[in-house]
Each structure stands twice: as C-alpha cells, then as structure tokens.
C-alpha cells in the first residue's frame, strides 16, 4: 500500500473511531450507576488517546521517506491502543 492510500485508510479509521466516541458519550445514561465513575475515567483516557492518535496521523503527512515505516508503525500502535480502550469502555455499557 502506498503512502497516500495508507493515509486515506488511516483518516477513514480515525473518523470511524471518533464517531464511536460520540456514540459512547450519548450512551452514558445506559451505564449502571456503579460503573459511571469508571466509564467517565475511561472516556477521558480515550479522549487523550484520541489526541495522541491525531498527532500520529499528522506525522504521517510530513514524515520523510526514510521515517515513513516508523511513522506508520507508530500510528498503527496508537490506533490499536485506542481501539482497545474503546472496547473496554463499550463493555461497560453492556454491564
């Protein structure tokens, strides 16, 4: 996959993940009272990870060819971490 295709795919992934955060914010009322504190803490952590993910995405825009693979891996690692945090947060809704 070339750089532009990867950036396009990454942008699509980011948009999807950010929409999922918005959905989770709307579903907060479905969380049991006993889980709300944990839900709020994880939501805040996820928002911080969102910022880190955007920084990694921005790095993809300007990275030199010799650092491209490193930047791509860093973005993927950040996206995986974000997805894990999202899944943990989403599981609280099902409690």
């Amino acid at each position: 996959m070339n750089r532009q295709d990867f950036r396009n795919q990454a942008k699509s992934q980011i948009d999807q993940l950010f929409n999922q955060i918005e959905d989770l914010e709307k579903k907060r009322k479905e969380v049991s009272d006993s889980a709300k504190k944990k839900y709020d803490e994880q939501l805040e952590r996820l928002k911080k990870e969102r910022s880190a993910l955007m920084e990694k995405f921005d790095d993809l825009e300007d990275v030199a060819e010799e650092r491209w693979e490193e930047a791509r891996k860093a973005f993927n690692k950040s996206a995986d971490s974000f997805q894990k945090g999202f899944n943990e947060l989403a599981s609280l809704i099902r409690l």
Side-chain angles (χ1 to χ4, degrees):
M1 177 180 308
N2 70 36
R3 288 173 70 145
Q4 188 60 45
D5 289 343
F6 184 83
R7 283 194 295 259
N8 290 342
Q9 181 182 13
K11 179 63 174 140
S12 177
Q13 183 180 13
I14 286 171
D15 290 344
Q16 180 183 15
L17 291 171
F18 289 7
N19 287 336
Q20 290 173 334
I21 285 181
E22 290 176 17
D23 290 343
L24 287 175
E25 288 176 319
K26 292 174 187 173
K27 292 181 178 183
R28 184 183 181 275
K29 62 184 175 279
E30 297 175 28
V31 177
S32 67
D33 289 339
S34 61
K36 279 193 174 152
K37 182 178 181 198
K38 184 175 181 180
Y39 188 88
D40 290 342
E41 289 169 356
Q42 287 188 308
L43 185 59
E44 279 306 307
R45 191 182 94 230
L46 200 58
K47 288 178 180 180
K48 289 177 184 175
E49 287 189 34
R50 173 177 61 185
S51 295
L53 184 60
M54 281 306 301
E55 286 178 24
K56 300 295 183 203
F57 178 76
D58 290 342
D59 288 347
L60 293 175
E61 294 292 318
D62 301 320
V63 71
E65 186 64 37
E66 59 272 3
R67 291 195 55 236
W68 166 249
E69 191 62 28
E70 178 184 331
R72 186 187 64 78
K73 286 179 182 178
F75 174 83
N76 284 335
K77 183 177 179 182
S78 185
D80 290 346
S81 176
F82 185 91
Q83 187 63 54
K84 181 181 177 201
F86 172 82
N87 291 341
E88 290 172 10
L89 188 59
S91 72
L92 294 174
I93 293 175
R94 297 182 205 103
L95 294 177

